[in-house]
Amino acid sequence: MESVKALNMEQLNSFLRSGKHPSVIIGFNLTSDAFFSMAAYWRERGVKIEKHDQYFVAKSDSSVTTS
């Protein structure tokens, strides 16, 4: 399955929660506080965020927990 591009925080959370997308491109601007808060939240759930070219990409395995 290929990557999808989230255009806002709601899409990002929805794509990651669904478990259908192994990687989600973060295609919108975030403040540093919002970025680190989001990164901490998803890191606790097994998602890794990496820089690729001009975007950050959230990568997960298929066993992400959303509780």
Side-chain angles (χ1 to χ4, degrees):
M1 210 174 269
E2 64 183 64
S3 297
V4 292
K5 186 175 186 179
L7 301 178
N8 57 47
M9 186 66 79
E10 185 177 334
Q11 278 187 337
L12 175 67
N13 290 329
S14 177
F15 289 150
L16 290 173
R17 275 193 200 103
S18 76
K20 295 178 182 178
H21 309 284
S23 67
V24 180
I25 298 166
I26 301 172
F28 57 97
N29 292 327
L30 289 161
T31 65
S32 57
D33 288 343
F35 177 84
F36 288 111
S37 177
M38 175 272 302
Y41 175 84
W42 284 109
R43 182 178 54 240
E44 290 175 357
R45 288 151 181 82
V47 174
K48 295 179 182 177
I49 298 176
E50 302 172 348
K51 179 82 171 175
H52 289 275
D53 300 320
Q54 72 268 30
Y55 295 108
F56 284 95
V57 178
K59 293 185 177 185
S60 66
D61 59 24
S62 58
S63 61
V64 172
T65 57
T66 58
S67 57

